[in-house]
């Protein structure tokens, strides 16, 4: 359920400009791509030994080529993508309590990463 919400929300706003992958990137190299993974799913509130509210966590990582940082146009595009991603996730019902953060070139592959740690709460 949560993974589907992420995929649908991001595919809808990025319109195939940026590919969205679950768990790991596959396919040809691209200037930008997104990888997301579910990091948890728990029952949070109970009544009469029944779950009332559940919560799930998702990590969304936006990868972009390091060279995009070299120009004003590239930096603007990165900022636009980050705003689009964050807005789409929030509109789909996700909370991003700590905002986005820069993680650098985490895999030393020439791509920088912006990370969005998301929460999704729903009534059971």
């Amino acid at each position: 359920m949560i993974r589907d919400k992420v995929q649908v929300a991001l595919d809808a706003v990025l319109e195939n400009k940026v590919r969205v992958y679950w768990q790991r990137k596959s396919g040809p190299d691209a200037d930008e791509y997104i990888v997301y993974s579910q990091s948890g799913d728990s029952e949070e509130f109970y009544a009469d030994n029944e779950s009332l509210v559940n919560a799930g966590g998702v990590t969304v990582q936006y990868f972009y080529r390091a060279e995009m940082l070299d120009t004003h146009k590239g930096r603007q595009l990165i900022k636009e993508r980050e705003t689009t991603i964050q807005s789409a996730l929030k509109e789909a019902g996700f909370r991003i309590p700590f905002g986005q953060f820069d993680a650098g070139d985490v895999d030393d592959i020439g791509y920088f990463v912006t990370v969005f740690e998301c929460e999704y709460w729903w009534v059971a």
Side-chain angles (χ1 to χ4, degrees):
M1 174 181 100
I2 293 175
R3 291 189 304 251
D4 290 340
K5 285 186 133 336
V6 172
Q7 187 77 49
V8 168
L10 294 178
D11 281 347
V13 296
L14 296 171
E15 302 170 344
N16 293 323
K17 294 175 188 165
V18 179
R19 294 287 311 264
V20 180
Y21 300 95
W22 174 42
Q23 299 283 10
R24 68 182 176 96
K25 179 190 162 296
S26 60
D29 284 343
D31 290 339
E32 309 166 86
Y33 61 92
I34 294 171
V35 176
Y36 67 92
S37 58
Q38 188 170 344
S39 54
D41 187 347
S42 62
E43 298 173 340
E44 296 295 323
F45 297 100
Y46 298 89
D48 297 329
N49 292 326
E50 294 294 325
S51 172
L52 295 177
V53 176
N54 294 340
V58 174
T59 301
V60 176
Q61 298 177 329
Y62 164 56
F63 290 82
Y64 52 89
R65 287 194 190 274
E67 296 84 33
M68 291 176 69
L69 292 172
D70 294 341
T71 66
H72 177 71
K73 183 178 177 180
R75 291 187 299 274
Q76 287 298 108
L77 180 60
I78 292 164
K79 181 63 181 160
E80 288 172 20
R81 296 282 198 243
E82 291 170 341
T83 300
T84 298
I85 293 164
Q86 184 162 328
S87 294
L89 292 167
K90 286 183 176 183
E91 286 179 29
F94 289 90
R95 292 182 58 240
I96 308 172
F98 307 109
Q100 67 193 42
F101 64 90
D102 296 324
D105 187 354
V106 296
D107 296 324
D108 197 27
I109 58 172
Y111 286 86
F112 282 86
V113 182
T114 302
V115 178
F116 304 83
E117 290 290 343
C118 307
E119 297 176 346
Y120 186 80
W121 294 68
W122 69 98
V123 177

